[in-house]
Amino acid sequence: MQVNDANHIQKLIQLIESESLTNIDLALQIIKGMGLPDHRKLHRLLLSYRPVKVRRLCLQKGFFHLFQNTPGMLGVSDYKLSFSDILPYFSKLNWLQGFDFSNDAALQTLPHGLEYFTHIKHLQLAYTSLTTLPGFLQHLSRLEQLNLSYTPFKKLPIVLSFLLHLKTLHITGTLIDNLPDVLPYLPKLEQLYISANHLQNLDAQTERHLKKVKELWVPQNEVNQLPGQVLGWTNLRTHLPRYWHSPGSDSPFILLDAINGAFQMKGNSIMEEALVFYEPTLDWWTQYQQASNQVTRFHVDLHYWNTSSSKLLLDVFSRLETIPGSVIVWHLDLDDEELEETGYEFAELVKVPFEFYFRW
């Protein structure tokens, strides 16, 4: 039997969040005896809170079942999983359609074992530190979508020539300069997401291949950098550009990128002109509301903020109220009771689900 009653699930969450070892053990005994409820917040909590003790139980008692009825991407980075967590359950993951390793800046190589998942169709690698792809990727011959945006790639590897079913390729924000060499080996390519620099100095053969692609996507803010002949192509499309602000001593790092599914805010917000700082962020969310992703997980990892920032942060969070599928992921240290309480206060003020990610 499996408990899925909302009141029982909330009690399990409260037991685990209490930081009492007795309460946590009680919650684990209930889960062992009655199964793990189909509740994503509880699963995320189990994977992030006391991971040494709880991770294996969470995986064994139903974590992957959470996705089985709605097959799609498994966010390896988002759930803070290691690939060694996943491999033991390989035989149960035939429903899986893809892996999402994106937004993991520490990822420099793809893990061995990935080649066993020959049935997957999607692989998200945006915002990682990958510079090449391993040869074993050729075994993923059913791959239809590959995302390499904002990675240090300078060359597309020859292994892509084995991906004969590839329909969508993302290389926006890269310095890749050998696209003409690879295009002829991607016969089913339908969507290509690129930067304006990839469309400079085109030869006739490359133009022919690019015109065959059904949709050629470039960021709106790079249109004025395109060569004249490209502006007349019927397959040219534009998308909302990412908003990015580097961290300062008094201002947070912000990354808002709809195409690559990256929504992050991290650092301190103690600047004097908070309205001036957050105005571009508010404008970006307003534009994003018009054509949002199916799921928007906004990761917030703030440490300190002043009074003027507090109101603006509330305005930023409130923008997500009209975006279906939005979640605010509140990052904090395990013993930071003040930041946890503040997170709950924000959660009461806005009509957006909050999830709490506890760091050890």
Side-chain angles (χ1 to χ4, degrees), residues 47 139 314:
L47 288 172
H139 299 296
L314 184 60

Side-chain angles (χ1 to χ4, degrees), residues 279-316:
E279 192 169 18
T281 301
L282 293 168
D283 290 344
W284 192 94
W285 282 121
T286 299
Q287 294 183 64
Y288 177 70
Q289 289 173 349
Q290 301 171 17
S292 61
N293 295 352
Q294 187 175 3
V295 176
T296 302
R297 296 182 60 78
F298 186 29
H299 292 263
V300 180
D301 190 357
L302 294 173
H303 309 296
Y304 304 102
W305 57 88
N306 54 18
T307 303
S308 59
S309 293
S310 184
K311 181 185 182 303
L312 270 300
L313 289 171
L314 184 60
D315 289 344
V316 170

Side-chain angles (χ1 to χ4, degrees), residues 163-322:
L163 306 181
L164 299 180
H165 293 280
L166 196 67
K167 295 180 180 180
T168 303
L169 177 62
H170 294 251
I171 58 171
T172 308
T174 67
L175 297 176
I176 288 170
D177 60 8
N178 68 330
L179 183 60
D181 300 331
V182 179
L183 275 177
Y185 301 99
L186 302 175
K188 294 191 176 182
L189 193 65
E190 296 179 356
Q191 295 178 316
L192 183 58
Y193 291 79
I194 56 181
S195 298
N197 63 286
H198 298 129
L199 295 171
Q200 305 297 325
N201 304 317
L202 299 175
D203 57 37
Q205 183 178 4
T206 304
E207 281 197 25
R208 284 196 300 272
H209 283 296
L210 288 173
K211 286 180 179 179
K212 290 179 182 178
V213 178
K214 288 184 178 180
E215 296 176 345
L216 197 62
W217 291 88
V218 297
Q220 291 174 358
N221 59 342
E222 295 185 11
V223 171
N224 60 353
Q225 303 171 31
L226 296 175
Q229 76 270 26
V230 175
L231 290 172
W233 291 359
T234 57
N235 63 345
L236 186 64
R237 305 284 188 274
T238 62
H239 61 79
L240 182 65
R242 69 167 183 160
Y243 174 69
W244 178 81
H245 191 283
S246 59
S249 58
D250 61 353
S251 59
F253 164 77
I254 297 178
L255 172 60
L256 303 173
D257 184 347
I259 295 296
N260 298 291
F263 310 95
Q264 304 173 36
M265 177 187 293
K266 182 176 183 179
N268 299 320
S269 182
I270 53 177
M271 73 291 289
E272 293 182 5
E273 299 291 337
L275 177 58
V276 174
F277 178 83
Y278 283 108
E279 192 169 18
T281 301
L282 293 168
D283 290 344
W284 192 94
W285 282 121
T286 299
Q287 294 183 64
Y288 177 70
Q289 289 173 349
Q290 301 171 17
S292 61
N293 295 352
Q294 187 175 3
V295 176
T296 302
R297 296 182 60 78
F298 186 29
H299 292 263
V300 180
D301 190 357
L302 294 173
H303 309 296
Y304 304 102
W305 57 88
N306 54 18
T307 303
S308 59
S309 293
S310 184
K311 181 185 182 303
L312 270 300
L313 289 171
L314 184 60
D315 289 344
V316 170
F317 299 156
S318 297
R319 284 289 198 276
L320 279 73
E321 291 180 340
T322 57

Side-chain angles (χ1 to χ4, degrees), residues 49-68:
Y49 205 94
R50 303 189 63 79
V52 174
K53 185 172 185 178
V54 177
R55 179 182 297 269
R56 183 172 297 175
L57 175 68
C58 181
L59 295 171
Q60 289 175 344
K61 299 295 287 187
F63 171 73
F64 294 114
H65 177 74
L66 190 67
F67 302 88
Q68 195 163 355

Side-chain angles (χ1 to χ4, degrees), residues 26 71 120 126 140 348:
L26 175 59
I120 66 170
L140 306 185
E348 292 177 357

